[in-house]
Amino acid sequence: MRSVFGPPAGDPPFAAWNAAVAAAAAAIGTRRFPDTLMAALRMLAPAQMMNGFFYTSDGRACDLYNEKLAADRALIVDGYLAGTFVLDPFHDAVMADGQARMIAMDECAPDGFTETEYYRLHYAATRIVDEVGFVIPLAEGCVGVLSLSRLAPAPPFTGAERDRLRAAAPVVCAFGHRHWFHAPSRMRAGTGLLTRIEDSRLTRREIEIVTLILKGHSTPSLAAVLGCAPNTVKVHRRRIYAKLGISSQTELFHLFWH
């Protein structure tokens, strides 16, 4: 097995890939499945961590697969399930249509995502430098996302690695669907308690703006999403901060999630 700190030279040998896929298929429905799937995916793109969550149709998050984390569970799972999942760009992308596919973090994150408190506490603290996810439709209208992550000091996934993972997505999503399809009926414990941002001091429009700010949208991005001028966004932000008695985005984050 090549080191996870460097990309493979190219596509894996066809026979070896077929053997790895066959092993994963044979393990569906057993505790060996995640490990065999990870072994197959590492042939396409070395990675240090695979974990997953699923989201319910009524706006909650649940644990799908987080048994072998390469990071602190309290950081990467407990706080996430407690409510911060609503700030995860993967959450928005997955819930947009629930279609099986591969998504990449930098393709769905807002322009100011790396400057958010959520990024600092969830990504920087766990040393995740890159992440791709496989969207997996599940029972009861739920949708899962199985993430493959690179941790520092490893480099981000290369374009060729992403291409290989995207090409494998139909197999990964189909296998994941078969293995975890009934997870919603077995894993209701640990659902998120906070599914949306609420504060009686703010109007519905201001709540929308707060949510977008916390997700990482910059002033220009907010203006584009809201269909208004950047100066109008600044006025809204000042008014929101005054109503809440705060002066920074860090305080805004901790007001809702600390």
Side-chain angles (χ1 to χ4, degrees), residues 71-124:
D72 186 343
R73 181 181 176 87
L75 286 173
I76 204 166
V77 178
D78 297 343
Y80 187 87
L81 292 178
T84 57
F85 68 88
V86 300
L87 303 181
D88 184 358
F90 271 14
H91 172 260
D92 287 352
V94 166
M95 297 306 290
D97 57 27
Q99 295 298 307
R101 64 192 187 281
M102 191 204 86
I103 54 179
M105 178 56 71
D106 63 0
E107 295 171 355
C108 61
D111 60 346
F113 178 62
T114 59
E115 305 303 317
T116 63
E117 282 295 294
Y118 173 78
Y119 180 89
R120 183 179 69 81
L121 293 174
H122 187 71
Y123 281 85

Side-chain angles (χ1 to χ4, degrees), residues 19-43:
V21 170
I28 291 174
T30 74
R31 292 185 63 84
R32 295 185 295 105
F33 173 70
D35 287 343
T36 56
L37 179 63
M38 182 65 161
L41 292 176
R42 277 179 168 165
M43 296 179 68

Side-chain angles (χ1 to χ4, degrees), residues 49-56 60-66 69 72-73 75-82 84-85 88 90-91 94-95 118 122-123 128 131 134-136 138 142-147 149 180 183 187 190 192:
M49 184 168 69
M50 185 175 77
N51 69 296
F53 300 94
F54 71 86
Y55 310 110
T56 68
R60 293 176 291 167
C62 304
D63 191 333
L64 182 68
Y65 174 74
N66 290 289
L69 295 175
D72 186 343
R73 181 181 176 87
L75 286 173
I76 204 166
V77 178
D78 297 343
Y80 187 87
L81 292 178
T84 57
F85 68 88
D88 184 358
F90 271 14
H91 172 260
V94 166
M95 297 306 290
Y118 173 78
H122 187 71
Y123 281 85
I128 296 175
E131 181 180 12
F134 298 96
V135 183
I136 304 172
L138 302 173
C142 298
V143 185
V145 58
L146 187 68
S147 297
S149 299
W180 282 296
M187 304 169 67

